[in-house]
Amino acid sequence: MSMQSLEVGQKARLTKRFGAAEVEAFAALSEDFNPLHLDPAFAASTVFERPIVHGMLLASLFSGLLGQQLPGEGSIYLGQSLSFKQPVFVGDEVTAEVEVISLREDKPIATLATRIFTQGGVLAVTGEAVVKLP
C-alpha cells in the first residue's frame, strides 16, 4: 500500500485464540518457560489464578497485521512500544487492531496505534508501531 493510499484513521483487525498448544510452542521458540504461562498449578497460586498468554506472543499479532493488511506486504518494522494493561488467559479469544495515526510528509513512514482487546472488549495491550512503507 503506497503512502498516497494510506489515510489517518484507517484500521485493520484480526481475531485469534491462543490455546495451550500455541503458548507451549511460543515458550519453546522464545525460551520463556515461565510457569505462569505453562503450569496451571503454579498459575493458581498467583494473582492471575490461571495461565496467561505471553505478552510478546500477543504483540506478535501486530506483525501479522502490519505485514499482511495495513500497510501490507513490504512494510518494514522500525519500532514498537508496548504496554500490558490486562492479562489474557490461555484459551481466550483476542482482537488485535492497528490504526494509522500519523504519516510523515518527508519520508514514507507511518505511525500506527496498536491495540489488543480481550473477548470482553477490555484493552489488554496498547502501544505504537512505526513502519517504513513499501
Side-chain angles (χ1 to χ4, degrees):
M1 182 172 286
S2 72
M3 192 162 153
Q4 291 78 22
S5 60
L6 269 187
E7 294 179 12
V8 170
Q10 278 182 285
K11 293 181 182 181
R13 291 183 184 90
L14 69 82
T15 299
K16 185 158 181 78
R17 184 179 312 275
F18 290 110
E22 290 83 9
V23 170
E24 289 167 11
F26 184 80
L29 289 168
S30 67
E31 299 290 326
D32 180 354
F33 297 100
N34 185 334
L36 182 58
H37 306 298
L38 303 167
D39 181 347
F42 177 86
S45 71
T46 72
V47 66
F48 301 114
E49 299 181 342
R50 59 190 199 268
I52 61 171
V53 177
H54 298 79
M56 297 306 286
L57 176 54
L58 293 166
S60 72
L61 294 175
F62 300 139
S63 183
L65 278 169
L66 295 169
Q68 299 300 306
Q69 292 189 41
L70 184 69
E73 293 181 2
S75 300
I76 300 170
Y77 236 131
L78 299 177
Q80 174 75 56
S81 65
L82 293 169
S83 181
F84 302 99
K85 303 294 189 183
Q86 295 290 324
V88 171
F89 298 101
V90 174
D92 283 357
E93 186 176 88
V94 296
T95 299
E97 172 185 275
V98 297
E99 177 183 0
V100 178
I101 57 173
S102 71
L103 297 164
R104 291 219 4 207
E105 292 184 20
D106 61 327
K107 293 184 179 182
I109 293 175
T111 301
L112 297 95
T114 53
R115 305 176 191 102
I116 294 178
F117 298 95
T118 66
Q119 53 199 13
V122 175
L123 182 65
V125 181
T126 185
E128 288 187 1
V130 179
V131 297
K132 184 174 186 308
L133 303 174

